[in-house]
Amino acid sequence: MKSPLVLLSLISAVLLSSPVNAAKLQSWNFNPTKNQLSITTDSDVKPQAFLINNPTRIVIDLPQTTFKSDTIRRNFGSAVKEIRIGKVDNNTARIVVELAPGYTASPDKLVIKGESPSNWILNLAAIERSDNQTVTDGEEKVAIPVTNNFTFAGVVPLNKEISQLDTEIKRLMSRYSSLSPGMFFLDMETGEYLDINGEKIFPAASTIKFPILIALFQEIDAGRVSLSETLVMRRDLMTGGSGNMQYGRPGTKFSLLETATRMMTISDNTATNMVIDRLGGKNKLNQRFRSWGLQNTVIRNLLGDFKGTNTTSPKDLVRVAALIANNKLLSSTSHDKVMAIMVRCKNRSLLPAGLGKGSVIAHKTGTLGRVLGDAGIIETPSGKRYLAGIMVARPFGDARARSFINQVSRLVYGYIEQPISARQP
């Protein structure tokens, strides 16, 4: 079987600019282990889906979603023979899941569920082997239900988009026209959210260390790794950029706890490479990320990755935050240890600069010449919790990106912290 990962670099290469107000297919991923197809667009869509026979296939149309390319085909074998991505016309993208001969699916057991207006999941567990398939003349087309009771990351019910903030921040964006931001914020109490280019793919920079840390603590929970074990700093893992371990001697020993702490608090790149190596390398981590439902988070090279080949999106980073905030990935003990590390992040110049006194933020920043980002979990003095992810592509070294993030953080904090009764309907 070929790899189920649809390379995001390939997708981005074949998706071209779309008309105003049209969505673009950001990424798609089929997970054979879960028998699940995930579809992500860069803005809101309302899919339409059908089950068609001769041969049996599931057809998903994405209206007002452009796809300007030859059809992409991926073979998977087993129950799913092939997945094709193409277009019906210039304004409708189409995904076709063709089942292998001898397999069928009952339309009353199929459903497409929305995680958000730009992320949809088709669970293919209803596919089953049928040795006595009935062959009929022509094509029978049966509608598949599409539910839009959005539950972000499967754990936080989405309520409504915060129109007030959307307007204010887009006005702010017009004043920073040289910047290209993406962001996703989610109020854990009310389910209100702000999504502006939340699925946009950015160079991850050091924000990639956030999901790496969670993967590490999953291994600790599984008993395969211990925080007290010793790691040896090898020359091939030492690198420049942020952190001070690079100035030590090859062969120096560090506890895993100290290594992971330096990775997060001072964003040490050498420490990060040591953790990646301990966890079995980038491919194993990428498989882990996909199992969490992350569509845009991929490690392609060890840190420092100064060319920005490792990728993520603001919404992916918030997905990780939502899963750990709701105890879906870690034990309570590991959750507490992760939070204790992340609140010690030394870089306070991005999201923290917009928070009120007494707020607590567990987060991870990322900095490259052409991108700046920050993501994490915030608790206000009144006890409200919200999740934040923001990335900004910028002209090389442009300090206005930091100012922009500060102002966005201040606007979101001000909205969340006010009494719910005072929020605009």
Side-chain angles (χ1 to χ4, degrees), residues 2-12 14 25-32 37-38 67 72-76 83 85 201 290 294-296 298 300:
K2 294 185 179 180
S3 171
L5 175 62
V6 179
L7 296 176
L8 298 176
S9 57
L10 174 62
I11 292 295
S12 60
V14 299
L25 184 61
Q26 191 80 18
S27 60
W28 64 274
N29 172 262
F30 176 61
N31 186 328
L37 174 69
S38 299
F67 186 82
I72 294 175
R73 298 172 180 267
R74 293 290 179 272
N75 295 315
F76 292 98
I83 296 180
I85 297 188
I201 299 171
R290 291 194 297 275
L294 307 187
Q295 296 295 300
N296 305 316
V298 182
R300 296 185 175 87

Side-chain angles (χ1 to χ4, degrees), residues 192-203:
E192 291 180 278
Y193 66 98
L194 173 71
D195 184 357
I196 300 177
N197 302 324
E199 294 287 3
K200 181 179 173 66
I201 299 171
F202 291 86

